[in-house]
Amino acid sequence: MTTSRARISKAVIPAAGLGTRFLPATKATPKEMLPVVDKPAIQYVVEEAVNAGLSDVLMITGRNKRSLEDHFDRNYELEQILHAKGDDDRLRKAQESTDLATMHYVRQGDPKGLGHAVLCAAPHVGDQPFAVLLGDDLIDPRDALLTRMTDVQQEHGGSVIALMEVDPSSIHLYGCAAAAPTGDDDVVRVTGLVEKPDAADAPSNLAIIGRYVLDPAVFEVIAKTEPGRGGEIQITDALQTMATDPSIGGPVHGVVFRGRRYDTGDRADYLRAIVRLACEREDLGPDFRAWLRAYVSEEMQSR
Ligand code: G1P
């Protein structure tokens, strides 16, 4: 079995999607730049990678994504103005994203699916295991999912995906895993994967949430993977090949996440994520919660 247990240091963040669910907001602004409270969604994701020790970040972008690069770069003019005003607090906020990680960018060109986006990372990643983080899933910084996944990868080799139990009625929104238990309560051996199955055909209620630690053999597999659901090259299909043949890049394990995940992929979930995160913020939370309580009780009375 060829599988690499080299130290994981690179994170890949696909960010080439058109974000059509958020039109018109995403007509000229990438969906990754939409604020969750006061920080663009993408910054939470880069912070998560860095917190797990991955400070080399490759973003897979597309047309219309310049502001992503600008966000992680310096803005000298703004910094000078804030400095001159002595506004250290805001200056710190403006600089926060700049020094987080070593950022790299590559364009996907044709949007041929998530698997294809990951394949664009091959020249940068080379021959070592790497992480993939999808921007629509935000993982609470208090729940160190990615660190657990990299530990599991170092223990077992191969690839590791993040799974979460969902209501069977929503499994059609996710990749779904067939899995067998291991000695660890939060780790399963993945025996099969299917992208967005109908509830009736789903092998379990274990949904893939957007975190992966992948053996570099995945690149060769993706290159041979035919377009699947939606006519797109799916990472789930490539991982299905690997899960059923561990001679390619080792086994596939799943970490079953039971922590706090916020979905920013659709509008209602995005609003919920903002409310939940705002409630937990030290600076905004106390006032916002008080307002929210009053608002909810007003709503209840008017029904
Ligand atoms: C992608 C993956 C899917 C996974 C999901 C997690 O789908 O293809 O397997 O469950 O991310 O967020 P998307 O939501 O981008 O359509």
Side-chain angles (χ1 to χ4, degrees):
M1 183 200 301
T2 44
T3 170
S4 172
R5 291 180 207 211
R7 204 178 72 79
I8 302 158
S9 62
K10 292 182 180 171
V12 173
I13 305 181
L18 295 174
T20 49
R21 279 188 277 187
F22 283 87
L23 281 169
T26 48
K27 187 177 171 193
T29 302
K31 75 167 172 178
E32 293 81 6
M33 286 301 294
L34 296 181
V36 176
V37 189
D38 51 7
K39 214 164 32 175
I42 194 73
Q43 191 176 329
Y44 290 87
V45 180
V46 174
E47 285 171 356
E48 184 191 335
V50 171
N51 288 339
L54 316 180
S55 56
D56 179 304
V57 175
L58 174 71
M59 233 173 249
I60 316 291
T61 68
R63 282 175 285 280
N64 214 357
K65 303 281 183 172
R66 276 279 303 280
S67 56
L68 283 172
E69 298 189 27
D70 289 342
H71 183 70
F72 292 98
D73 199 354
R74 296 231 96 87
N75 181 336
Y76 286 110
E77 201 185 354
L78 177 64
E79 286 179 31
Q80 254 171 12
I81 292 168
L82 293 171
H83 182 70
K85 279 188 181 167
D87 193 339
D88 291 340
D89 190 35
R90 292 195 174 122
L91 179 60
R92 193 180 41 77
K93 284 185 181 156
Q95 289 172 334
E96 218 164 50
S97 54
T98 314
D99 304 321
L100 263 179
T102 311
M103 303 296 299
H104 308 269
Y105 303 89
V106 63
R107 283 196 180 211
Q108 190 180 2
D110 290 329
K112 290 195 239 164
L114 183 56
H116 178 252
V118 172
L119 186 56
C120 296
H124 179 80
V125 166
D127 195 24
Q128 50 178 294
F130 63 103
V132 175
L133 295 87
L134 305 188
D136 284 349
D137 294 286
L138 299 189
I139 304 295
D140 195 291
R142 291 164 294 182
D143 302 317
L145 170 62
L146 198 54
T147 303
R148 178 73 182 129
M149 292 173 71
T150 53
D151 288 349
V152 170
Q153 198 281 339
Q154 300 285 291
E155 188 186 339
H156 295 279
S159 300
V160 180
I161 60 179
L163 299 170
M164 198 164 188
E165 290 189 52
V166 299
D167 193 274
S169 65
S170 52
I171 196 72
H172 67 284
L173 300 170
Y174 299 94
C176 175
T182 65
D184 275 321
D185 173 48
D186 66 334
V187 181
V188 291
R189 171 79 185 249
V190 175
T191 54
L193 287 162
V194 44
E195 177 69 1
K196 303 196 176 121
D198 291 338
D201 306 326
S204 75
N205 67 336
L206 286 172
I208 304 175
I209 53 172
R211 299 292 179 272
Y212 308 76
V213 175
L214 300 174
D215 186 278
V218 76
F219 295 127
E220 262 174 57
V221 180
I222 297 171
K224 290 187 198 140
T225 300
E226 296 291 328
R229 188 161 270 273
E232 297 190 337
I233 298 169
Q234 299 290 351
I235 189 73
T236 306
D237 295 342
L239 285 165
Q240 153 69 5
T241 304
M242 295 169 83
T244 49
D245 183 356
S247 71
I248 323 169
V252 179
H253 284 87
V255 168
V256 182
F257 182 60
R258 300 190 176 96
R260 288 154 282 201
R261 162 184 174 256
Y262 311 101
D263 185 347
T264 58
D266 87 7
R267 289 171 303 170
D269 284 333
Y270 171 74
L271 292 176
R272 288 184 197 108
I274 292 175
V275 171
R276 284 168 63 175
L277 286 166
C279 283
E280 284 166 24
R281 280 270 295 260
E282 269 175 35
D283 52 347
L284 296 165
D287 282 356
F288 186 65
R289 263 192 237 184
W291 172 82
L292 193 58
R293 252 182 247 120
Y295 177 69
V296 169
S297 74
E298 238 171 69
E299 275 286 296
M300 308 268 280
Q301 276 160 23
S302 67
R303 300 226 153 196

